[in-house]
Amino acid sequence: MKKTLSGALSIIKRPAQKINARLIIVLIILAMAILPFIRIALLPANFIFNINAHSSVFTLETPDEPTVTKWRINGAVICSRTRLQTARQGSEQTAGYCGSWNGYRFADPELTLELQGANKITLETKPDGTLYLALRENRAHSVRKLSFTDSNRRPILLGAKVNLVWPAKSMKAGNEPYEHPLFPFMGIATIGRDVNWASRGILNTGKVFVYASDLSSTNKRNLVDQTELMLGDQVRLDSIVLNDEPVFPKGFVRYQPDADHHDLDIVAFGKASQIRIERFGDNGYDFEPSIWSRILKDQFLLTLESTLFASLMLLFPLLPVFEKNTATRIKILKRIKANRKS
Amino acid sequence: MRVSNQRQHNIGFINIFSAFAYLFMLLACAPVNALEFEQAKLKNQFIETIHPEVNVSGNIIVGVMMSSAFKGLFDGELALAPAAFSSGQEVCLNVVSRDGSYTSTNNYLINTTTPNYKQLPYHSKHKKLLLKFSEDDAALSATAHSCEQSSSDYFVPVAIEKTENDARRLLPGELVVYVNGFDATDVYYEVHLDDTPVVKDCDYISKGRHTAYNFICRIDITGQKNTELPVSIHREVYGRELPSIDINVLGTR
């Protein structure tokens, strides 16, 4: 206590050293005004966009990399432009779903589609509940093949153009029940399709959430902004380059139709500074969080600003104490001297 | 005497060689025949529109042109490749952007039958917009009839540029056909290039909007000897064929 008092006295008794309290207050006010913009400028501009949507069409472009995508495609009719090498596989041929292409169905209860390299996939649902998957080669050396649970059956290489059809009514492959397909993915994703007078597959509803990284929060990210997607919108999540490496969006597509709804349920995550939302009737727009929403949702920044503001409120009443030769200062000095003598 | 005859023989040989060398130099330095251009006449007032609330048409064939033709829009250096023009030929030039927001439809008159390049005046008031176009952003088509009539005969718009000494040269490119496949999953074309059948897939344009067209068919007509090229565009929806569209491209040599 004695040491604290003598320390405070020594500061107050220093007439030769003028503590410019007004300057400190001005600096604090400036810091409060500038800090938000400095923080926004220093933080990386890439956000995490999370899209939850219900759409009757979805397009995926897998990356031109060795990574393999695998999907279980039980119950699907396989339509190939070129004939498949299946004579030795004991498959049964199926027509009716493939138009002029060659149709196949396999009795294996666990049929897997494996994709490697750059392929283009379009998933589309029809009003009657039928699910179509159009698989197209996007680069010459990409691979598409069917593999089976039975290790005695060799995988079948697929050609450059293949369609898969899940008929509307439940199909039973062997004694297994029809399974609703689920498609996890990594690649450039386009949800919805441009509206024109002949198009049927479009995005129905959805939401876009934008997150910024925030080490102070529990899940290390902070919701910054969100927007609703309208009927007919088209959203594309593209790849970005981070540390000289391409980073692709990820997510999954589930198809679980009921009597009233035949939409794909789509969840996709991607990093970007903004995303493009194409909308019929206008030129579309780039959705990115505004500076104000970033500032207002930044917990660290808000805490810092609150602390500075509190410091300001404390400093204002003490302003006269630090000023030289004010009446208050002299009174306080006299009181301290009197206390010491007593 | 023998030495003298040999010497004369050598001199004669040198003279002949020199004459050929001189002739070769003359030919090498002679000016190359420049491209011949004639001006076509705009029939009515130039019409172009920008409408953000897009009017979508039902055309399947949206553009037939050389791939660099869009560059001729913003500096007015647009032309039609030489073809069998008829006297008083009317040509309908249609330009549409891929997002459908920019369109122009104009009739031109071609008065001569000479197989030269016919320059089409294009006095757009939206040059800033046209300058933003890159490849595949705008489709041009020049049908061999007035805009009020339909036609399956297409001339080939090309872009030209002026060189330093005011000569003109064509911008390189390949023949492209822009197609609105609507819901088609596959679009491909069929042609006979110098009597060789060629069937090739058209590429889907995955980025951006596809309001006006979404497929591009690239046809290599390098060395093509025929002046006309019938092209058949086929569309399929998950293996089910839709009616094909047949067009005739004029001026492909």
Side-chain angles (χ1 to χ4, degrees):
Chain A
M1 182 65 183
K2 263 192 177 177
K3 277 187 183 175
T4 311
L5 201 60
S6 59
L9 257 177
S10 66
I11 292 171
I12 293 168
K13 277 185 177 176
R14 269 185 272 171
Q17 253 184 0
K18 186 177 177 182
I19 300 165
N20 197 338
R22 290 184 195 274
L23 180 64
I24 295 173
I25 288 169
V26 168
L27 286 174
I28 290 175
I29 293 172
L30 272 173
M32 284 177 65
I34 295 170
L35 263 174
F37 298 99
I38 294 175
R39 178 155 164 87
I40 298 297
L42 288 176
L43 279 178
N46 284 327
F47 306 99
I48 300 168
F49 286 84
N50 175 359
I51 301 174
N52 290 354
H54 303 284
S55 171
S56 49
V57 65
F58 170 80
T59 306
L60 174 70
E61 295 168 55
T62 53
D64 190 11
E65 289 174 358
T67 48
V68 177
T69 300
K70 288 187 182 182
W71 292 332
R72 182 181 285 189
I73 55 168
N74 301 354
V77 175
I78 299 168
C79 309
S80 174
R81 226 243 178 109
T82 52
R83 291 186 69 83
L84 300 182
Q85 299 286 330
T86 63
R88 294 179 193 173
Q89 307 294 328
S91 67
E92 46 176 336
Q93 292 203 346
T94 309
Y97 298 103
C98 300
S100 58
W101 292 17
N102 303 289
Y104 303 87
R105 273 195 64 219
F106 296 93
D108 194 297
E110 286 187 330
L111 193 61
T112 304
L113 176 69
E114 290 186 28
L115 307 173
Q116 192 175 9
N119 288 286
K120 182 166 165 272
I121 299 103
T122 303
L123 283 163
E124 190 172 358
T125 63
K126 297 296 180 185
D128 66 352
T130 304
L131 173 66
Y132 287 87
L133 186 154
L135 173 59
R136 303 287 180 266
E137 173 188 77
N138 220 5
R139 288 275 191 278
H141 51 265
S142 59
V143 175
R144 296 151 298 282
K145 62 182 175 185
L146 288 176
S147 60
F148 305 91
T149 313
D150 183 358
S151 54
N152 292 325
R153 299 184 78 165
R154 281 179 299 151
I156 300 173
L157 276 177
L158 299 174
K161 292 190 170 194
V162 175
N163 294 331
L164 276 66
V165 185
W166 284 262
K169 51 187 178 180
S170 297
M171 301 278 295
K172 288 187 180 183
N175 291 324
E176 294 295 324
Y178 178 72
E179 291 181 19
H180 298 296
L182 181 74
F183 307 98
F185 66 83
M186 181 180 76
I188 297 169
T190 306
I191 304 168
R193 185 188 281 158
D194 275 61
V195 173
N196 61 49
W197 62 271
S199 65
R200 284 166 288 185
I202 54 175
L203 182 147
N204 290 306
T205 57
K207 262 193 172 178
V208 182
F209 301 92
V210 189
Y211 294 91
S213 60
D214 182 0
L215 297 175
S216 62
S217 72
T218 315
N219 54 3
K220 307 299 175 199
R221 59 182 199 172
N222 185 27
L223 178 65
V224 175
D225 209 345
Q226 57 182 299
T227 188
E228 295 271 346
L229 294 172
M230 288 172 56
L231 180 70
D233 281 353
Q234 177 183 277
V235 186
R236 179 181 169 100
L237 271 179
D238 218 324
S239 62
I240 61 167
V241 177
L242 281 178
N243 302 323
D244 296 328
E245 290 287 329
V247 176
F248 288 91
K250 296 179 179 65
F252 62 90
V253 181
R254 182 187 71 166
Y255 184 51
Q256 198 156 5
D258 56 34
D260 299 320
H261 300 103
H262 303 293
D263 285 341
L264 300 166
D265 302 322
I266 301 163
V267 173
F269 301 88
K271 275 193 176 181
S273 57
Q274 60 189 26
I275 58 168
R276 180 90 187 150
I277 297 177
E278 305 287 356
R279 183 162 289 173
F280 183 76
D282 68 30
N283 285 329
Y285 67 99
D286 293 317
F287 175 61
E288 62 179 313
S290 63
I291 289 179
W292 294 117
S293 61
R294 290 171 70 185
I295 290 170
L296 292 173
K297 297 285 175 65
D298 190 330
Q299 293 299 322
F300 174 78
L301 190 61
L302 290 176
T303 307
L304 189 64
E305 292 281 314
S306 305
T307 308
L308 286 172
F309 184 75
S311 310
L312 208 61
M313 292 299 105
L314 279 175
L315 271 177
F316 266 122
L318 293 177
L319 195 64
V321 175
F322 291 98
E323 287 202 341
K324 190 179 172 182
N325 296 329
T326 59
T328 315
R329 180 185 164 93
I330 294 166
K331 270 187 197 173
I332 291 170
L333 272 174
K334 282 182 181 172
R335 201 177 294 166
I336 290 169
K337 275 184 184 170
N339 284 342
R340 281 192 91 184
K341 278 181 185 172
S342 60
Chain B
M1 283 297 288
R2 274 189 192 173
V3 172
S4 169
N5 281 343
Q6 182 68 31
R7 195 173 173 185
Q8 279 179 359
H9 176 73
N10 287 345
I11 289 170
F13 179 76
I14 290 168
N15 283 342
I16 292 168
F17 178 78
S18 303
F20 272 112
Y22 182 63
L23 191 63
F24 176 77
M25 279 171 58
L26 267 181
L27 287 171
C29 298
V32 178
N33 283 334
L35 297 175
E36 298 288 332
F37 287 87
E38 286 174 19
Q39 192 84 357
K41 192 180 163 187
L42 187 63
K43 196 177 170 190
N44 300 311
Q45 195 179 2
F46 185 77
I47 298 170
E48 61 179 353
T49 49
I50 289 184
H51 30 69
E53 293 183 3
V54 169
N55 297 331
V56 180
S57 77
N59 289 340
I60 292 171
I61 305 293
V62 181
V64 179
M65 60 189 233
M66 294 305 282
S67 52
S68 56
F70 71 97
K71 291 181 185 174
L73 293 174
F74 37 80
D75 52 10
E77 298 290 340
L78 188 65
L80 297 179
F85 300 108
S86 54
S87 181
Q89 173 88 57
E90 272 200 57
V91 174
C92 176
L93 178 71
N94 266 308
V95 180
V96 61
S97 61
R98 181 151 54 93
D99 63 1
S101 63
Y102 175 85
T103 56
S104 81
T105 303
N106 291 284
N107 280 317
Y108 293 85
L109 271 174
I110 294 169
N111 285 323
T112 66
T113 57
T114 49
N116 295 333
Y117 287 88
K118 308 297 181 191
Q119 196 165 359
L120 303 176
Y122 199 87
H123 306 301
S124 171
K125 290 179 184 171
H126 302 285
K127 287 192 177 175
K128 278 187 185 173
L129 171 70
L130 299 181
L131 272 167
K132 290 181 191 171
F133 286 158
S134 55
E135 198 162 338
D136 300 340
D137 283 345
L140 284 71
S141 65
T143 50
H145 281 285
S146 72
C147 297
E148 289 74 34
Q149 296 171 289
S150 62
S151 174
S152 59
D153 289 333
Y154 290 81
F155 295 117
V156 181
V158 298
I160 49 181
E161 66 174 0
K162 283 186 181 169
T163 58
E164 285 169 358
N165 47 356
D166 261 357
R168 287 196 176 101
R169 65 177 181 195
L170 289 179
L171 289 179
E174 57 190 343
L175 181 67
V176 293
V177 179
Y178 289 109
V179 175
N180 192 344
F182 294 108
D183 277 354
T185 51
D186 303 276
V187 175
Y188 61 95
Y189 69 85
E190 191 179 347
V191 295
H192 281 78
L193 292 173
D194 293 328
D195 300 325
T196 307
V198 172
V199 178
K200 209 172 166 199
D201 285 325
C202 300
D203 301 321
Y204 180 74
I205 305 170
S206 57
K207 268 193 176 179
R209 303 182 79 165
H210 319 97
T211 311
Y213 53 91
N214 52 4
F215 281 90
I216 170 169
C217 309
R218 301 181 197 277
I219 307 172
D220 184 6
I221 56 170
T222 312
Q224 168 74 3
K225 288 174 191 161
N226 297 326
T227 55
E228 289 185 25
L229 183 68
V231 180
S232 194
I233 303 291
H234 299 270
R235 296 173 301 143
E236 287 179 348
V237 181
Y238 296 108
R240 185 172 52 88
E241 286 181 18
L242 298 175
S244 62
I245 311 287
D246 296 322
I247 62 173
N248 200 26
V249 184
L250 309 171
T252 50
R253 184 171 58 184

